[in-house]
Amino acid sequence: MAGGLTYTAVESTALSTAEYYGKALCEIGKEHPEVVALTADLGKSTKIGMFGEAFPDRFFNVGIAEQNMFGVAAGMAKAGLVPFLSTFSTFASLRSADQLHTDICYQNVNAKIIATHSGTSFGQAGSTHHAICDFAVTRSLPNLTVICPADGMETVNAVRAAYETPGPFYIRINRGFDRVLYPNTDYGFEVGKAVTLHEGTDITVIACGSCAFQALQAANFLENSDGLKVRVLNMHTIKPIDREAIEKAVMDTRRIITVEDHTVLGGLGSAVAEVVVESGKGCGFKKLGIQDKFAPIGLHEDIMSILGIDSNGIVEAVREVMKKDFELDDNWDDEV
Amino acid sequence: MILLASKEEIFTNKIFLCAALPLVKVIAMDSPKLAKKFEHTHKVIQVSAIDPESPEGKVATHFVINSGEWLVHADKVDKNPHIELEFKSVESMNAFFKGKIGPATLPKMRGLKNTGAFVAFMQVLLKMSALLGAKTPPEDEETKKLLVKCFFYLLSSGISTLNKQDHEDVHNWALKSPDRVYAWAVNGYPELSAYIRVKAGKSRAGRGEYKRAMPFFTLRFDSLNSALGILMSTDDMLEATKAGRLIMDGAPEFGAQIGEYMLTVAGYAQ
């Protein structure tokens, strides 16, 4: 269990996001014979292999040939099947970028990409296996819906939503050791709608993926230690982004921090910033994530801590942004 | 023998100078009949109290009136006002405005030759006294609106004044506060709103709706009568909240806190 030295074996089973993905896909497969699964020799690691065990006739391992897998999936979708394809996020977004662009998105086919080992969650495998710019690539591709679930239950919701919604999806999940945010799937998941994890009117922290849990922890800590009311939004859908929730956060809290396990260039922070700027209203703003560099190699928790995207880093950033002025002037004379 | 004013007397006095007396302008401009009386006035009118502790020997709030336009200079002395009501001490001024009117508290009046302006100013002062001193709510809607507006302004300015005067509780609260806005509002009457912005020990009372963003906390009333119930202490905050007459937009603990400072201001002003 690389990357999970702080968890027991029992806990790791409960925390495995990819396990939930595998199970959810099998459930969908049971009811819908048109669902097929493809892998590029990563069936076991990405958990799509579970589908292969249940439905061997509908499972295709194309070998270590990701670009080919995307092309095959596009063809299957054109023929009326619903292909789910899984590989590591970095391969799905970079190595197969051309096929994702032209075969999947340009054709607007009904293919679902479940990209695993995203962000820095494949910590010890090194920077070549960290997916730090997949949001930037995928959210710029027309027709593609981009989702980053926060835990296993949200992954189940995202996979179900992907099946139920026509068109290409890119779902980004971690290597499999996310902290549990939701005890079940009944919390009102809706594609394109952020989930409020904690109410507050001082500042809004908008997070996705594994950072959502960290943001919630930071909000609870800040409420007790600093008396701050921190709104936490789990922005699971990166595209289409929940403009309404962001605009409301600007109006209600005047300060926003985004947190993502991704470069701060082109990801969640950039998507939120675009909405803020287009709203025409200023607000204190800070993007937490990978600051235009390659992430170090190590345990995911350690990397998150070094990058400042864990709860301590968020607490520090909130305190910093709270000190910023949001008024244009510094007039403290009472109005008479 | 010179007696120095106590801390409590100073707080009371500052509330009158900075939060209550500025309402004279609000009241004068609210009624077209009263406003008309200042149409051709070009005068400086001052309300002051002798204060040996102050560098100018007195404390004052003065009004510069030019053709019906009012400028309020709260807690600022004008050396040569056209009209002046000068109390012999801070305590006398406080007692007078708390309704203890008698030979010991009556001010000296200067500039009586400016009869028109003097009489008009006194009429506004009397209207303010009657309005803020009333025990029962007014009957007509216009007066209700004026009274609610005056109370909101008094409270926002009063809390800010106490902070600036280093009132222990209020200033400690302000010191710990991040940049936050607290507002008072009545549904359907945005023009009556007032707010206070607080940040790391600094504060600013503002009038009207705070439009830069949603306030951190708003004490919102569902009607004028509900607002007057709380502001005139004929209703209970908890009961009003339970019944929906008072809506707390924000965390209830902040409502309790701001409610406490409202009572502190009221305690000094009444």
Side-chain angles (χ1 to χ4, degrees), chain A residues 201-202 223 226-229 231 248 250-255 281-283 322-336, chain B residues 18 22 25 72 74 157 160-161 164 178-181 195 197-199 202-207 210-216 251 253-254:
Chain A
T201 46
D202 270 324
E223 183 156 14
D226 298 36
L228 291 175
K229 296 285 180 185
R231 179 178 301 177
K248 192 170 185 311
V250 173
M251 266 316 284
D252 291 0
T253 69
R254 300 157 294 177
R255 307 170 188 92
K281 295 182 174 69
C283 75
M322 285 305 296
K323 287 180 196 155
K324 283 189 184 174
D325 285 322
F326 58 83
E327 290 281 8
L328 295 175
D329 60 32
D330 201 30
N331 176 12
W332 293 96
D333 292 336
D334 293 332
E335 205 177 328
V336 286
Chain B
C18 301
K25 173 187 162 186
V72 181
S157 298
S160 183
T161 299
K164 287 169 181 169
D179 204 340
R180 282 173 173 163
V181 171
Y195 64 88
R197 180 181 167 209
V198 190
K199 182 193 172 187
K202 294 183 280 189
S203 62
R204 179 178 190 267
R207 294 173 176 187
Y210 183 74
K211 289 184 175 163
R212 176 69 185 76
M214 191 181 90
F216 173 74
E253 65 262 38
F254 293 96

Side-chain angles (χ1 to χ4, degrees), chain B residues 136-207:
Chain B
T136 51
E139 295 288 318
D140 67 297
E141 173 152 319
E142 286 310 307
T143 314
K144 281 180 188 175
K145 280 161 63 177
L146 177 62
L147 184 53
V148 168
K149 190 199 275 187
C150 285
F151 271 128
F152 283 174
Y153 290 179
L154 177 72
L155 292 168
S156 58
S157 298
I159 295 171
S160 183
T161 299
L162 289 177
N163 171 49
K164 287 169 181 169
Q165 293 297 322
D166 288 337
H167 182 280
E168 199 179 348
D169 291 348
V170 177
H171 191 57
N172 280 342
W173 162 74
L175 273 176
K176 286 180 203 153
S177 176
D179 204 340
R180 282 173 173 163
V181 171
Y182 296 82
W184 292 263
V186 180
N187 285 344
Y189 299 92
E191 71 278 13
L192 308 182
S193 306
Y195 64 88
I196 178 171
R197 180 181 167 209
V198 190
K199 182 193 172 187
K202 294 183 280 189
S203 62
R204 179 178 190 267
R207 294 173 176 187

Side-chain angles (χ1 to χ4, degrees), chain B residues 29-74:
Chain B
M29 298 191 78
D30 183 75
S31 147
K33 206 173 149 190
L34 276 176
K36 200 171 162 47
K37 296 191 176 186
F38 295 96
E39 228 171 37
H40 305 292
T41 303
H42 299 272
K43 304 284 178 216
V44 175
I45 304 178
Q46 180 159 273
V47 180
S48 66
I50 303 289
D51 179 17
E53 281 188 272
S54 116
E56 283 147 316
K58 63 166 70 175
V59 290
T61 284
H62 69 271
F63 306 88
V64 179
I65 307 165
N66 271 316
S67 307
E69 291 296 317
W70 290 64
L71 270 180
V72 181
H73 297 273

Side-chain angles (χ1 to χ4, degrees), chain A residues 47-114:
Chain A
K47 302 296 177 195
I48 201 168
M50 292 165 73
F51 187 92
E53 285 166 22
F55 311 102
D57 296 344
R58 288 151 59 193
F59 181 70
F60 305 91
N61 184 352
V62 300
I64 307 171
E66 286 81 3
Q67 296 102 322
N68 194 26
M69 176 170 68
F70 277 67
V72 170
M76 288 175 153
K78 279 282 188 189
L81 299 172
V82 182
F84 277 75
L85 46 156
S86 283
T87 183
F88 295 166
S89 298
T90 190
F91 304 150
S93 59
L94 294 180
R95 187 173 295 171
S96 316
D98 189 18
Q99 285 70 25
L100 175 62
H101 169 275
T102 307
D103 297 348
I104 305 279
C105 296
Y106 180 51
Q107 306 292 331
N108 196 16
V109 297
N110 195 20
K112 319 296 178 185
I113 301 134
I114 315 296

Side-chain angles (χ1 to χ4, degrees), chain A residues 38-336:
Chain A
L38 295 93
T39 179
D41 218 24
L42 286 172
K44 197 173 172 188
S45 304
T46 63
K47 302 296 177 195
I48 201 168
M50 292 165 73
F51 187 92
E53 285 166 22
F55 311 102
D57 296 344
R58 288 151 59 193
F59 181 70
F60 305 91
N61 184 352
V62 300
I64 307 171
E66 286 81 3
Q67 296 102 322
N68 194 26
M69 176 170 68
F70 277 67
V72 170
M76 288 175 153
K78 279 282 188 189
L81 299 172
V82 182
F84 277 75
L85 46 156
S86 283
T87 183
F88 295 166
S89 298
T90 190
F91 304 150
S93 59
L94 294 180
R95 187 173 295 171
S96 316
D98 189 18
Q99 285 70 25
L100 175 62
H101 169 275
T102 307
D103 297 348
I104 305 279
C105 296
Y106 180 51
Q107 306 292 331
N108 196 16
V109 297
N110 195 20
K112 319 296 178 185
I113 301 134
I114 315 296
T116 67
H117 297 64
S118 64
T120 56
S121 69
F122 205 1
Q124 291 142 311
S127 308
T128 55
H129 284 57
H130 295 168
I132 62 167
C133 57
D134 56 330
F135 284 157
V137 173
T138 56
R139 82 179 189 90
S140 64
L141 292 172
N143 297 327
L144 191 61
T145 297
V146 182
I147 298 183
C148 181
D151 72 354
M153 291 300 165
E154 191 151 79
T155 299
V156 172
N157 280 330
V159 170
R160 284 177 186 162
Y163 172 75
E164 287 159 8
T165 315
F169 268 67
Y170 177 86
I171 297 176
R172 174 205 221 236
I173 60 176
N174 280 343
R175 188 180 181 210
F177 301 105
D178 292 318
R179 303 296 298 273
V180 176
L181 206 50
Y182 302 109
N184 56 54
T185 53
D186 302 327
Y187 58 88
F189 176 89
E190 202 182 324
V191 173
K193 290 283 170 204
V195 179
T196 304
L197 299 176
H198 194 272
E199 249 321 335
T201 46
D202 270 324
I203 186 168
T204 302
V205 176
I206 301 178
C208 65
S210 49
C211 299
F213 180 88
Q214 302 294 332
L216 180 60
Q217 278 205 315
N220 287 326
F221 177 81
L222 284 162
E223 183 156 14
N224 294 325
S225 67
D226 298 36
L228 291 175
K229 296 285 180 185
V230 181
R231 179 178 301 177
V232 178
L233 297 181
N234 169 18
M235 191 64 76
H236 50 69
T237 307
I238 309 301
K239 185 189 158 193
I241 197 101
D242 188 346
R243 300 182 71 89
E244 199 184 333
I246 298 167
E247 283 165 2
K248 192 170 185 311
V250 173
M251 266 316 284
D252 291 0
T253 69
R254 300 157 294 177
R255 307 170 188 92
I256 291 178
I257 292 176
T258 58
V259 200
E260 60 194 310
D261 189 6
H262 182 275
T263 173
V264 292
L265 304 175
L268 170 71
S270 300
V272 172
E274 286 162 16
V275 177
V276 172
V277 172
E278 283 169 14
S279 77
K281 295 182 174 69
C283 75
F285 192 80
K286 191 174 177 68
K287 292 188 289 185
L288 297 182
I290 304 168
Q291 305 290 336
D292 197 19
K293 59 185 179 188
F294 287 100
I297 300 164
L299 298 177
H300 190 207
E301 295 94 324
D302 290 339
I303 297 174
M304 287 181 85
S305 171
I306 290 165
L307 296 174
I309 55 173
D310 64 344
S311 55
N312 285 336
I314 297 167
V315 165
E316 207 175 298
V318 167
R319 286 174 175 158
E320 184 193 320
V321 174
M322 285 305 296
K323 287 180 196 155
K324 283 189 184 174
D325 285 322
F326 58 83
E327 290 281 8
L328 295 175
D329 60 32
D330 201 30
N331 176 12
W332 293 96
D333 292 336
D334 293 332
E335 205 177 328
V336 286

Side-chain angles (χ1 to χ4, degrees), chain B:
Chain B
M1 190 176 86
I2 296 169
L3 285 175
L4 299 182
S6 73
K7 220 172 169 181
E8 294 301 293
E9 287 285 2
I10 291 169
F11 288 141
T12 302
N13 190 246
K14 293 298 178 191
I15 294 279
F16 284 127
L17 290 173
C18 301
L21 275 170
L23 297 176
V24 166
K25 173 187 162 186
V26 178
I27 291 164
M29 298 191 78
D30 183 75
S31 147
K33 206 173 149 190
L34 276 176
K36 200 171 162 47
K37 296 191 176 186
F38 295 96
E39 228 171 37
H40 305 292
T41 303
H42 299 272
K43 304 284 178 216
V44 175
I45 304 178
Q46 180 159 273
V47 180
S48 66
I50 303 289
D51 179 17
E53 281 188 272
S54 116
E56 283 147 316
K58 63 166 70 175
V59 290
T61 284
H62 69 271
F63 306 88
V64 179
I65 307 165
N66 271 316
S67 307
E69 291 296 317
W70 290 64
L71 270 180
V72 181
H73 297 273
D75 201 13
K76 286 193 177 74
V77 176
D78 184 279
K79 284 184 182 161
N80 296 300
H82 297 99
I83 298 168
E84 185 170 25
L85 306 182
E86 187 192 79
F87 293 90
K88 65 179 179 187
S89 67
V90 162
E91 289 84 351
S92 300
M93 186 191 216
N94 292 350
F96 179 86
F97 282 114
K98 284 187 174 209
K100 292 172 192 160
I101 299 168
T105 59
L106 282 176
K108 271 186 200 166
M109 297 175 190
R110 293 202 185 94
L112 293 181
K113 60 182 178 186
N114 303 290
T115 322
F118 179 81
V119 171
F121 186 75
M122 289 308 289
Q123 280 178 335
V124 180
L125 265 187
L126 287 171
K127 184 170 178 186
M128 183 173 95
S129 166
L131 197 66
L132 295 177
K135 302 285 174 209
T136 51
E139 295 288 318
D140 67 297
E141 173 152 319
E142 286 310 307
T143 314
K144 281 180 188 175
K145 280 161 63 177
L146 177 62
L147 184 53
V148 168
K149 190 199 275 187
C150 285
F151 271 128
F152 283 174
Y153 290 179
L154 177 72
L155 292 168
S156 58
S157 298
I159 295 171
S160 183
T161 299
L162 289 177
N163 171 49
K164 287 169 181 169
Q165 293 297 322
D166 288 337
H167 182 280
E168 199 179 348
D169 291 348
V170 177
H171 191 57
N172 280 342
W173 162 74
L175 273 176
K176 286 180 203 153
S177 176
D179 204 340
R180 282 173 173 163
V181 171
Y182 296 82
W184 292 263
V186 180
N187 285 344
Y189 299 92
E191 71 278 13
L192 308 182
S193 306
Y195 64 88
I196 178 171
R197 180 181 167 209
V198 190
K199 182 193 172 187
K202 294 183 280 189
S203 62
R204 179 178 190 267
R207 294 173 176 187
E209 277 184 295
Y210 183 74
K211 289 184 175 163
R212 176 69 185 76
M214 191 181 90
F216 173 74
F217 182 87
T218 301
L219 209 63
R220 182 182 300 284
F221 298 94
D222 72 338
S223 68
L224 290 171
N225 287 338
S226 300
L228 289 172
I230 295 297
L231 296 168
M232 299 180 81
S233 302
T234 55
D235 196 0
D236 177 71
M237 240 174 155
L238 275 177
E239 288 299 320
T241 307
K242 224 165 93 182
R245 296 190 292 273
L246 168 61
I247 304 121
M248 297 199 186
D249 282 348
E253 65 262 38
F254 293 96
Q257 198 172 48
I258 206 77
E260 195 184 313
Y261 301 140
M262 284 164 67
L263 290 174
T264 308
V265 171
Y268 286 120
Q270 286 167 357

